[in-house]
């Protein structure tokens, strides 16, 4: 294979193929406009020269790219993993490529991800923001508005923007209600609920549902973690559970990552606990962990999210419309 440097251009390919540079450009950008024989010849020469089209330059010329951005705070969370896989598959079927950004709950990383996608003229963005409390109002929101990038919130929204943009959400109060009803039927005098961030709208809603359906709070302790259960969370919760532990206590993780973190801590400390989880922890199936909880079908959610995003991409951005909000029920699964 001939090796060329990065200075290879479509003009070089055109000379080798004995066609115009416009024909080469069409072969990459609008292949349906070039005869198959000519197109195959151009692509073969491009491969021989190790030529890769400059997508960024192409996007500058076009109104938008065929790129969809997914920005989430954790690609380790099984809830997002399956959802993103489904979105990617369906987007590719429509001729789009997906760029995935894991912000790791870092606000600056989220800002950079959004700025990058806007600079690449992304056709649309799926966003699960790092925070959903009242104090989080990131500056990139004005950038999205200015460039009219179709945006869909997934799972959680930026406070006061949930009604401005379409989104797909879980019914968090109902999740809490199902959790509380389950706990009220258990023979347990020590329940530890480990929630997401204290000021999170999701945390507040799920806890409200629990309290309403299980009003006896005397045997409930609530501790808080970040969504991604980082090292500081582990250190803090390891210390707290040793203070609160009694045999066969119930631990309720209000998301799968938190449940996984608590399971690791209690296993390390050799503590006997029962578990309830909102969505499954990572590798639960691999390690044959049968944990009761409120579960959601991430494949189904991925399909709904993709439909919602493409309805935004394909609509007339200049016309006023009412952003669509989808709220999905969870299913109580008991083992």
């Amino acid at each position: 294979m001939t090796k060329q440097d990065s200075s290879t251009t479509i003009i070089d390919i055109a000379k080798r193929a004995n066609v115009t540079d416009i024909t080469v450009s069409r072969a990459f950008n609008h292949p349906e406009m070039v005869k198959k024989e000519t197109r195959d010849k151009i692509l073969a020469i491009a491969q021989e020269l190790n030529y890769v089209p400059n997508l960024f330059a192409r996007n500058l010329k076009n109104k938008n790219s065929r790129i969809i951005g997914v920005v989430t705070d954790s690609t380790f969370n099984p809830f997002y993993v399956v959802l993103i896989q489904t979105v990617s598959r369906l987007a590719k079927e429509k001729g789009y490529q997906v760029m995935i950004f894991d912000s790791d709950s870092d606000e600056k990383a989220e800002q950079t991800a959004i700025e990058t996608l806007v600079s690449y003229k992304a056709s649309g963005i799926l966003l699960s923001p790092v925070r959903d409390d009242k104090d989080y109002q990131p500056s990139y929101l004005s950038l999205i508005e200015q460039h009219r990038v179709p945006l869909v919130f997934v799972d959680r929204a930026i406070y006061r923007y949930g009604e401005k943009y379409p989104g797909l959400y879980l019914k968090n109060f109902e999740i809490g209600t199902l959790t509380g009803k389950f706990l009220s039927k258990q023979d347990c005098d020590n329940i530890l609920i480990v929630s997401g961030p204290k000021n999170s709208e999701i945390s507040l809603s799920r806890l409200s549902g629990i309290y309403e359906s299980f009003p006896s709070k005397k045997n409930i302790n609530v501790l808080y973690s970040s969504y991604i259960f980082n090292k500081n969370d582990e250190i803090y919760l390891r210390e707290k559970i040793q203070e609160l532990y009694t045999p066969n206590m119930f631990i309720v993780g209000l998301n799968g990552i938190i449940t996984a973190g608590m399971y690791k801590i209690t296993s390390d400390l050799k503590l006997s606990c029962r578990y309830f989880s909102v969505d499954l922890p990572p590798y639960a199936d691999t390690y044959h962990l049968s944990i009761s909880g409120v579960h959601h079908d991430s494949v189904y959610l991925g399909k709904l999210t993709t439909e919602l995003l493409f309805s935004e991409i394909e609509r007339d951005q200049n016309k006023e419309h009412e952003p669509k909000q989808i709220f999905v029920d969870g299913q109580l699964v008991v083992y």
Side-chain angles (χ1 to χ4, degrees), residues 229-240 265:
F229 202 91
N230 59 35
K231 193 65 178 177
N232 290 334
D233 296 322
E234 181 178 352
I235 293 170
Y236 164 71
L237 290 165
R238 182 181 293 269
E239 179 183 333
K240 295 299 293 184
I265 289 173

Side-chain angles (χ1 to χ4, degrees), residues 107-172:
E107 295 172 22
K108 290 183 179 179
E110 182 173 276
Q111 177 82 24
T112 301
I114 297 296
E115 290 173 353
T116 300
L117 288 168
V118 171
S119 72
Y120 271 72
K121 295 190 177 180
S123 294
I125 298 175
L126 296 175
L127 172 63
S128 182
V130 298
R131 289 168 54 188
D132 67 338
D133 58 86
K134 295 179 180 179
D135 296 326
Y136 187 52
Q137 297 290 298
S139 61
Y140 62 68
L141 290 169
S142 60
L143 193 66
I144 290 174
E145 290 180 359
Q146 178 184 348
H147 290 268
R148 296 187 176 183
V149 182
L151 173 71
V152 172
F153 287 120
V154 181
D155 187 32
R156 51 183 179 260
I158 295 168
Y159 188 72
R160 289 186 176 174
Y161 280 81
E163 296 180 357
K164 188 170 184 177
Y165 291 98
L168 182 137
Y169 310 101
L170 307 182
K171 292 185 177 179
N172 292 301

Side-chain angles (χ1 to χ4, degrees), residues 182-183 186-193 246-252 272-276 292:
F182 172 86
L183 294 173
Q186 308 307 307
D187 181 18
C188 184
D189 58 3
N190 189 3
I191 297 171
L192 172 61
I193 298 174
T246 58
N248 293 314
M249 75 184 297
F250 238 109
I251 295 179
V252 179
S272 176
C273 301
R274 290 176 286 173
Y275 282 90
F276 186 92
S292 297

Side-chain angles (χ1 to χ4, degrees), residues 174-216:
E174 286 77 2
I175 287 172
T177 300
L178 289 172
T179 302
K181 288 180 178 178
F182 172 86
L183 294 173
S184 67
K185 297 176 182 178
Q186 308 307 307
D187 181 18
C188 184
D189 58 3
N190 189 3
I191 297 171
L192 172 61
I193 298 174
V194 187
S195 171
K198 190 172 184 177
N199 295 324
S200 161
E201 293 296 305
I202 291 177
S203 300
L204 294 170
S205 185
R206 291 182 182 180
L207 288 171
S208 293
I210 292 174
Y211 293 147
E212 180 165 303
S213 57
F214 187 31
S216 177

Side-chain angles (χ1 to χ4, degrees), residues 60-104:
L60 290 177
K61 295 178 182 178
N62 299 332
K63 185 177 180 181
N64 55 46
S65 67
R66 296 188 71 80
I67 291 172
I68 288 173
V70 178
V71 184
T72 175
D73 70 337
S74 175
T75 53
F76 181 59
N77 189 331
F79 175 84
Y80 291 120
V81 169
V82 178
L83 187 148
I84 290 171
Q85 288 174 342
T86 305
V87 169
S88 297
R89 176 175 55 81
L90 295 174
K92 287 175 184 176
E93 289 175 2
K94 289 179 172 286
Y96 288 78
Q97 294 298 315
V98 176
M99 294 180 69
I100 301 171
F101 295 82
D102 185 335
S103 66
D104 197 30

